[in-house]
Amino acid sequence: MRGRAANLRAGLTWKALAAVAVSGALAVSGCGGNSSDKGKNDKSKVEVFSWWTGPGEADGLNAMKADFEKKNPGTQFINAAIAGGSGTQAQAVLASRLQNRKPPDSFQGHAGAELLDYIKQGQIEPLDSFYDQNNLKSVYPQQLLDQISYQGHIYSVPVNIHRSNMLWYNPAILKAAGISDPPKSVAEFITDLKAIKSKTKKVPLSLGAQWTADHLLESVLLGDLGTDGYNALWKPGADWGSAAVTKALTDYAEIVKYTTAEAASTDWQGAAKAVVDGKAAFNIMGDWAYGYFTGPSPNGLSKKDGADFKYVPSPGTDGTYLWLSDSFTLPKGAPHREGALAWLKEASSKEGQDLFNPKKGSVPARKDADKALYTGYLEYAFAQWNNPSTKLAGSFWHGVNANKRWHNDIDTTVGLFLQNKDVGKLQSGLVTAAKNDAQ
Ligand code: GAL
């Protein structure tokens, strides 16, 4: 696993990458303690909240749940997952439950700025003693611990690392369009999209619900601006009005022309499936798509890596891991606090992570995973993640670099852009969002 020294060699630290997340003066309420004593020792149940209902992700969660049930026979596992890729529906429900002091026992929250929102609002408990009791500090990379810590206290249990910047493609469609190799830059990508449109009857780039356009945006920004340029955008006072950003957004607008009008009616699964079904040439999606493609039917698509689909980092981003991490929390006032701690123990364990991640399409957050379990794309991901020369950039859409308000303001701006296709308005909306929301 990447070490601090390795990151310093790469000129990057996780802390630096989410500087925006850790630099704000957050008003954190005291160090834990349950707001009510009622559920303090209750281990009869655990309600676990996530948005993992789709193939791959639900399979991963179920694998961990089965291990949990074996180890905790007296605890009923309640799966409170709410459908909607990237948590679009789940996060709204969660916000209202937290506001109404009806938290689940544990919920999925991304490491980085998103987690700090929960800390700032005093909604989750620190987990220092849990980490000490389970000897966890040494099993996670220090850089990841930095992303889930505030003022010296640790607040969540990371279960995985995902890569956002992946280009999935259908090799037969590229061949039919006369494209011998997948695109290495944003400019090459645009050329290829044009070729696919003119030479085949296929969709050049599949897109799904609106959030997948936000997801696409982060890969295009990274591809055009480079790692340093992209990372700089998330620091307070960053120049979102620059000519370089205009160029990236102009490319983004061009790329979006090669997607389909009916895209919004499907979530990420439909868009990803279009590639392996031979309907679309390309899809830019996080590596959870891999779990969906290769998982066994009826849930997964049982597709073959290399034959039905191939992958490369999204254009212009080779060598950079646009990362995100799913982590589980202990909400204040969790009704079954002991059940929640048992779940966190499962999510933090080597066995739990090695059961979950091969199905989920992610690599483990722990340093001591069983490497042999990670095959195909995951073998590549494992090697990339652990390569000291791989650079890091934080996903803004999946919680690392942008707090929730910023994330939502960008989404509103992108939504308007998808209607009016006006690059100038897109850029000024992003400038305003950064000005209002960067911390
Ligand atoms: C991300 C999440 C992933 C996966 C994806 C698609 O935000 O971190 O685990 O669920 O959304 O839903």
Side-chain angles (χ1 to χ4, degrees):
M1 179 56 69
R2 158 191 307 281
R4 178 176 286 277
N7 269 307
L8 292 175
R9 275 201 301 282
L12 291 162
T13 64
W14 287 59
K15 206 163 197 159
L17 291 170
V20 62
V22 290
S23 64
L26 304 181
V28 181
S29 59
C31 288
N34 204 358
S35 58
S36 123
D37 271 353
K38 206 174 102 219
K40 218 167 179 174
N41 301 316
D42 195 340
K43 208 188 161 186
S44 62
K45 293 182 182 137
V46 60
E47 186 195 15
V48 175
F49 189 96
S50 76
W51 52 87
W52 296 333
T53 61
E57 28 192 45
D59 297 323
L61 180 61
N62 281 334
M64 214 163 29
K65 168 182 177 265
D67 193 47
F68 171 84
E69 285 169 339
K70 208 165 68 195
K71 291 174 182 158
N72 299 277
T75 308
Q76 186 195 354
F77 183 98
I78 302 167
N79 185 351
I82 292 184
S86 86
T88 41
Q89 318 297 329
Q91 295 211 16
V93 174
L94 178 65
S96 106
R97 287 189 62 173
L98 293 176
Q99 205 165 9
N100 295 321
R101 297 180 196 280
K102 299 247 178 295
D105 295 309
S106 184
F107 64 84
Q108 173 197 350
H110 290 123
E114 181 183 309
L115 193 75
L116 285 175
D117 279 337
Y118 298 119
I119 301 171
K120 180 179 174 180
Q121 285 164 36
Q123 292 167 327
I124 55 178
E125 284 194 42
L127 292 168
D128 305 303
S129 48
F130 172 82
Y131 268 72
D132 288 342
Q133 278 156 21
N134 294 289
N135 292 318
L136 288 176
K137 281 193 188 138
S138 59
V139 305
Y140 285 107
Q142 183 57 45
Q143 302 92 319
L144 184 52
L145 293 178
D146 289 344
Q147 292 303 305
I148 55 168
S149 298
Y150 180 68
Q151 292 186 336
H153 300 287
I154 303 182
Y155 282 88
S156 74
V157 170
V159 70
N160 68 358
I161 303 288
H162 267 307
R163 188 174 189 177
S164 158
N165 58 322
M166 289 306 300
L167 179 73
W168 309 94
Y169 65 95
N170 182 303
I173 300 180
L174 265 62
K175 194 162 172 221
I179 300 166
S180 51
D181 290 308
K184 292 193 181 59
S185 66
V186 174
E188 276 182 34
F189 188 36
I190 293 172
T191 305
D192 290 349
L193 292 170
K194 269 186 200 144
I196 286 153
K197 186 168 180 198
S198 66
K199 297 189 185 143
T200 74
K201 292 197 164 33
K202 309 294 182 176
V203 174
L205 176 67
S206 58
L207 205 64
Q210 183 173 308
W211 75 266
T212 67
D214 296 288
H215 184 102
L216 173 66
L217 177 62
E218 66 183 25
S219 267
V220 176
L221 288 172
L222 179 64
D224 264 342
L225 299 173
T227 312
D228 292 346
Y230 172 87
N231 284 332
L233 289 177
W234 309 100
K235 299 191 172 121
D239 187 7
W240 280 83
S242 71
V245 173
T246 310
K247 166 77 173 78
L249 298 179
T250 305
D251 284 344
Y252 176 70
E254 185 63 21
I255 290 166
V256 165
K257 285 186 192 155
Y258 295 94
T259 63
T260 44
E262 69 277 11
S265 62
T266 179
D267 210 312
W268 69 266
Q269 289 94 343
K273 188 170 185 290
V275 170
V276 293
D277 283 352
K279 293 185 179 147
F282 295 110
N283 178 233
I284 290 183
M285 187 41 59
D287 48 11
W288 41 90
Y290 183 77
Y292 176 41
F293 289 160
T294 57
S297 54
N299 280 343
L301 298 175
S302 284
K303 295 291 180 182
K304 290 272 163 298
D305 188 338
D308 299 317
F309 69 93
K310 288 188 170 183
Y311 50 81
V312 282
S314 60
T317 72
D318 194 10
T320 299
Y321 223 94
L322 187 55
W323 71 275
L324 60 125
S325 173
D326 294 312
S327 72
F328 282 95
T329 58
L330 179 60
K332 284 195 180 164
H336 312 94
R337 191 172 183 278
E338 285 302 312
L341 288 169
W343 167 249
L344 293 178
K345 189 163 177 184
E346 175 67 28
S348 69
S349 70
K350 177 166 159 16
E351 306 82 68
Q353 295 198 7
D354 277 341
L355 285 165
F356 173 75
N357 285 298
K359 291 190 161 52
K360 181 72 167 72
S362 39
V363 296
R366 284 179 68 116
K367 296 188 281 187
D368 56 354
D370 183 353
K371 200 175 160 206
L373 297 171
Y374 299 85
T375 59
Y377 163 78
L378 290 175
E379 187 180 350
Y380 162 78
F382 204 98
Q384 291 276 301
W385 176 248
N386 291 299
N387 182 344
S389 61
T390 298
K391 292 185 182 173
L392 301 178
S395 162
F396 87 76
W397 183 253
H398 303 281
V400 183
N401 282 350
N403 58 41
K404 281 193 236 153
R405 205 171 66 167
W406 199 355
H407 167 279
N408 291 343
D409 285 349
I410 294 176
D411 185 42
T412 303
T413 304
V414 167
L416 290 170
F417 168 76
L418 293 175
Q419 301 300 317
N420 62 29
K421 305 284 162 59
D422 184 325
V423 174
K425 285 188 181 150
L426 174 61
Q427 188 162 14
S428 62
L430 294 174
V431 167
T432 306
K435 205 156 68 197
N436 290 344
D437 305 332
Q439 286 175 335

